Amino acid sequence: MKLLYFAWVKQKAGIAEEDVTLPGEIRDVSGLISWLKTRGEGYEHAFADLAVIRCAVDQEHGDLDTPVAGAKEIAFFPPVTGG
Amino acid sequence: MKLLYFAWVKQKAGIAEEDVTLPGEIRDVSGLISWLKTRGEGYEHAFADLAVIRCAVDQEHGDLDTPVAGAKEIAFFPPVTGG
Amino acid sequence: MIRVQTEDFDIGAEVKALTSGRTDIGALVTFTGLVRDTNGGTVSSMELEHYPGMTEKELVRIEAEANERWPLQASLIIHRVGKLAPGDNIVLVVTASPHRQAAFDAAAFLMDYLKTQAPFWKREETGDKSYWVDARESDGEAAAKWDT
Amino acid sequence: MIRVQTEDFDIGAEVKALTSGRTDIGALVTFTGLVRDTNGGTVSSMELEHYPGMTEKELVRIEAEANERWPLQASLIIHRVGKLAPGDNIVLVVTASPHRQAAFDAAAFLMDYLKTQAPFWKREETGDKSYWVDARESDGEAAAKWDT
């Protein structure tokens, strides 16, 4: 599974993109974030306040409850500020 | 006093512009229209339905009650359709 | 700024003139009204009559009112008169503001007021007949909503 | 039609491309968002980051939703990415319809949805510091009003 990080989530996590194999017990985005936070300080820092974290599963907006099984690409980013 | 007519009011009245001296008893736009209607069939035709007549007194929107004393220019026209 | 003219206008050029050299504008809205062939090819031309003198006064008044209601950094109204063909531009309204809602609202307001208060009249020519366009009730309702 | 590009856009040329040869469009609205120097000369540049792939999908989805809600004859969204300076264009939205209210509403809707759903992020550089622009609560509220 490919993970992508954008804007300050990328800066705080210290990574733009990575390929990971998820432990089998991870069901949803919430579980994925908890697992990522065990992988290093950067992730802990990036995901410290989930109220300002947005995600997309296979390029569609998701939330903490969105299932991750079978997903090819999951992205994390702050609330968008384009336009 | 100058009277101006626009759009179909002009066509029905058969006149675009004229200079008139009003009888002293005419107080407002309503009185002016009544007087005009005595002056010929064209005016009668143009002012047959006052619901669709708009007027301006010295280039400012008025209505049937607007006083005409001292006015230099009074215009009659249909509801506007620009834009 | 207001203009009444027979010539066409160029949206891009008008916008550039309003914004060039400025860095304070965040949002710019333009509205263009065009001659629409309502009956599938039957309107051959349109004549825009107006009341010279009063037209300019009304446009200045309407623009001033928009500037009182919203914090506009620039505004422009151009209205054409004379003979126009289907597809031709009729009117251009431009509003600029730090924020988009003010720019959108002011442009819609300018059009609603212009449609009900500026002394222009359209005559459509269809084949060998010509008729004066009727005012639309919905335009009066659109303008009335700004009174609340 | 949607485009994500680093190059500037030309409002006049885009409008001409959408309307030329047509006589059925009565109303055309454009919205342009520009880089605004919010602190009087202190923003030296802005960087627009986006999520390639998802950005295009979201813009297509948002445009399709506007076309479902309003009878649009043409619509266009152009969003720039990369490095921009104060005064530069960021985004262009164009909507065309037989009637003006639909064109105004659809353009406002496109901007409200784009502001809250399209994956773009702004970073402002001010002198030697740079910071990510915070999302505005009012943008969420503006988008939410279309749900009713």
Coordinates of all heavy atoms in Angstrom, one line a residue, chain B residues 8-14 36-37 39-48:
Chain B
W8 N -41.8 51.6 -26.7 CA -43.1 51.5 -27.3 C -44.0 52.7 -26.9 O -45.0 53.0 -27.6 CB -43.8 50.2 -27.1 CG -44.0 49.7 -25.7 CD1 -43.4 48.7 -25.1 CD2 -45.0 50.2 -24.7 NE1 -43.9 48.5 -23.8 CE2 -44.9 49.4 -23.6 CE3 -45.9 51.2 -24.8 CZ2 -45.6 49.6 -22.4 CZ3 -46.7 51.4 -23.6 CH2 -46.5 50.6 -22.5
V9 N -43.7 53.4 -25.8 CA -44.4 54.6 -25.5 C -44.2 55.6 -26.6 O -45.2 56.3 -27.0 CB -44.0 55.1 -24.1 CG1 -44.8 56.4 -23.8 CG2 -44.2 54.1 -23.0
K10 N -43.0 55.7 -27.0 CA -42.7 56.6 -28.1 C -43.4 56.2 -29.4 O -44.0 57.1 -30.1 CB -41.2 56.6 -28.4 CG -40.7 57.4 -29.6 CD -39.2 57.4 -29.7 CE -38.6 56.0 -29.9 NZ -37.1 56.0 -29.9
Q11 N -43.4 54.9 -29.7 CA -44.0 54.5 -30.9 C -45.5 54.7 -30.9 O -46.1 55.1 -31.9 CB -43.7 53.0 -31.1 CG -42.3 52.7 -31.6 CD -42.1 51.3 -32.1 OE1 -42.6 50.4 -31.5 NE2 -41.4 51.1 -33.2
K12 N -46.2 54.4 -29.8 CA -47.6 54.5 -29.6 C -48.0 56.0 -29.6 O -49.0 56.4 -30.3 CB -48.1 53.8 -28.4 CG -48.1 52.3 -28.5 CD -48.7 51.7 -27.3 CE -48.7 50.1 -27.4 NZ -49.2 49.4 -26.2
A13 N -47.2 56.8 -28.9 CA -47.5 58.3 -28.9 C -47.2 58.9 -30.2 O -47.8 60.0 -30.5 CB -46.8 58.9 -27.7
G14 N -46.3 58.3 -30.9 CA -46.0 58.8 -32.3 C -45.1 60.0 -32.2 O -45.0 60.9 -33.1
L36 N -52.3 64.9 -21.2 CA -51.7 64.4 -22.5 C -52.7 63.6 -23.2 O -52.8 63.7 -24.5 CB -50.4 63.5 -22.2 CG -49.2 64.3 -21.8 CD1 -48.1 63.3 -21.4 CD2 -48.7 65.2 -23.0
K37 N -53.5 62.8 -22.5 CA -54.5 61.9 -23.2 C -55.6 62.7 -23.9 O -56.3 62.1 -24.7 CB -55.1 60.9 -22.1 CG -54.1 59.8 -21.8 CD -54.6 59.0 -20.6 CE -55.5 57.9 -21.0 NZ -55.8 57.0 -19.8
R39 N -54.9 65.1 -25.7 CA -54.3 65.8 -26.8 C -54.2 65.0 -28.1 O -53.7 65.4 -29.1 CB -52.9 66.3 -26.4 CG -52.9 67.3 -25.3 CD -51.5 67.7 -24.9 NE -50.7 68.4 -25.9 CZ -49.5 68.1 -26.2 NH1 -48.9 67.0 -25.7 NH2 -48.8 68.8 -27.1
G40 N -54.7 63.8 -28.0 CA -54.7 63.0 -29.3 C -54.8 61.5 -29.0 O -54.5 61.0 -27.9
E41 N -55.1 60.8 -30.1 CA -55.3 59.3 -30.0 C -54.0 58.6 -29.7 O -54.0 57.6 -29.0 CB -55.8 58.8 -31.4 CG -57.3 58.6 -31.3 CD -57.7 57.9 -32.6 OE1 -57.0 57.0 -33.2 OE2 -58.8 58.2 -33.1
G42 N -52.9 59.1 -30.2 CA -51.6 58.5 -29.9 C -51.3 58.5 -28.4 O -50.9 57.4 -27.9
Y43 N -51.5 59.6 -27.8 CA -51.3 59.6 -26.3 C -52.3 58.7 -25.6 O -51.9 58.0 -24.6 CB -51.5 61.1 -25.8 CG -50.5 62.0 -26.3 CD1 -50.8 62.9 -27.3 CD2 -49.2 62.1 -25.8 CE1 -49.9 63.8 -27.9 CE2 -48.2 63.0 -26.3 CZ -48.6 63.9 -27.4 OH -47.7 64.8 -27.9
E44 N -53.5 58.7 -26.0 CA -54.5 57.8 -25.4 C -54.0 56.4 -25.5 O -54.1 55.6 -24.5 CB -55.8 57.9 -26.1 CG -56.9 58.8 -25.4 CD -58.2 58.7 -26.1 OE1 -58.9 57.7 -25.9 OE2 -58.5 59.7 -26.8
H45 N -53.5 56.0 -26.7 CA -53.0 54.7 -26.9 C -51.8 54.4 -26.0 O -51.8 53.3 -25.4 CB -52.7 54.6 -28.4 CG -52.3 53.2 -28.9 ND1 -53.0 52.1 -28.5 CD2 -51.3 52.9 -29.8 CE1 -52.4 51.1 -29.1 NE2 -51.4 51.5 -29.9
A46 N -50.9 55.3 -26.0 CA -49.6 55.1 -25.2 C -49.9 54.9 -23.7 O -49.3 54.1 -23.1 CB -48.7 56.2 -25.5
F47 N -50.9 55.7 -23.2 CA -51.1 55.7 -21.8 C -52.4 54.9 -21.4 O -53.0 55.2 -20.3 CB -51.2 57.2 -21.3 CG -49.9 57.9 -21.4 CD1 -49.7 58.9 -22.4 CD2 -48.9 57.7 -20.5 CE1 -48.5 59.6 -22.5 CE2 -47.7 58.4 -20.6 CZ -47.5 59.3 -21.6
A48 N -52.8 54.0 -22.3 CA -54.0 53.2 -22.0 C -53.9 52.4 -20.7 O -54.8 52.2 -19.9 CB -54.3 52.3 -23.2

